[in-house]
Amino acid sequence: MNKGKLFVFTGPSGTGKGTILSEVLAAEPRLRVSVSATTRTPREGEIHGIHYWFMNHSTFEEKIAQNAFLEHACYVGNYYGTPEEPVNEQLDAGYDVILEIEVQGAMQIHDKRPDAVMIFVAPPSMEELEHRLYGRGTENSEKVAERLEQAKKELTYQKQFDYIIVNDTLSDAVFDLRSIIHAEHCRVEP
């Protein structure tokens, strides 16, 4: 069996990465999502080991010291990271693996794994991003303002990615991501 491909899927908070990815995962049987670790508090309905590996700050920092993450970042006061071993196991088994991670972590992957296909999700506008963040109803105005400031910084990294998906219409964004995955399997390897 051929080795799978590694896809890095990122963009500012509120751009719809999770929604797009859920749709694509339902349609792509050889695609696996990497479960990230985080120190943030679980949102309603999130399950440990399914949505994230939730851990406290000291445990996360121990794992950083053990070099157990493929990437890690601190974002809006919380750590996020991708455990390396499960990703490599899935790739070796022939599955494609997609990492839905923050922009800081994506840039670490960009440096460490030149084989990774880098995909950036952008909002159609900052006004729409603000509307989406408030519409989630999961954070107070101060946290939303922090996320919007962070988004402005993250949008400056777009040109360092292989692909950009503007999530204006969900069906188009899903089509774009599926097209990228299929195109990468048609690529002639050097």
Side-chain angles (χ1 to χ4, degrees), residues 63-152:
K63 296 214 177 274
I64 291 171
Q66 296 165 359
N67 202 25
F69 293 113
L70 188 55
E71 58 77 32
H72 68 276
C74 189
Y75 179 80
V76 193
N78 287 300
Y79 283 119
Y80 294 83
T82 303
E84 184 171 14
E85 188 176 338
V87 170
N88 289 333
E89 288 172 358
Q90 293 285 345
L91 292 171
D92 290 343
Y95 292 103
D96 292 334
V97 177
I98 191 162
L99 281 65
E100 181 191 348
I101 58 177
E102 303 302 329
V103 175
Q104 290 175 334
M107 297 316 300
Q108 290 177 37
I109 300 289
H110 185 265
D111 294 338
K112 291 180 185 177
R113 296 290 295 261
D115 60 316
V117 179
M118 306 293 292
I119 306 165
F120 190 94
V121 181
S125 68
M126 287 303 292
E127 293 78 19
E128 177 61 20
L129 181 61
E130 182 176 1
H131 175 74
R132 290 176 185 178
L133 288 170
Y134 277 112
R136 292 196 306 200
T138 58
E139 296 171 320
N140 63 32
S141 295
E142 184 178 304
K143 279 290 186 188
V144 169
E146 285 180 38
R147 289 190 184 277
L148 288 169
E149 282 305 309
Q150 185 67 28
K152 289 175 188 173

Side-chain angles (χ1 to χ4, degrees), residues 47 60 134:
I47 301 166
F60 199 103
Y134 277 112

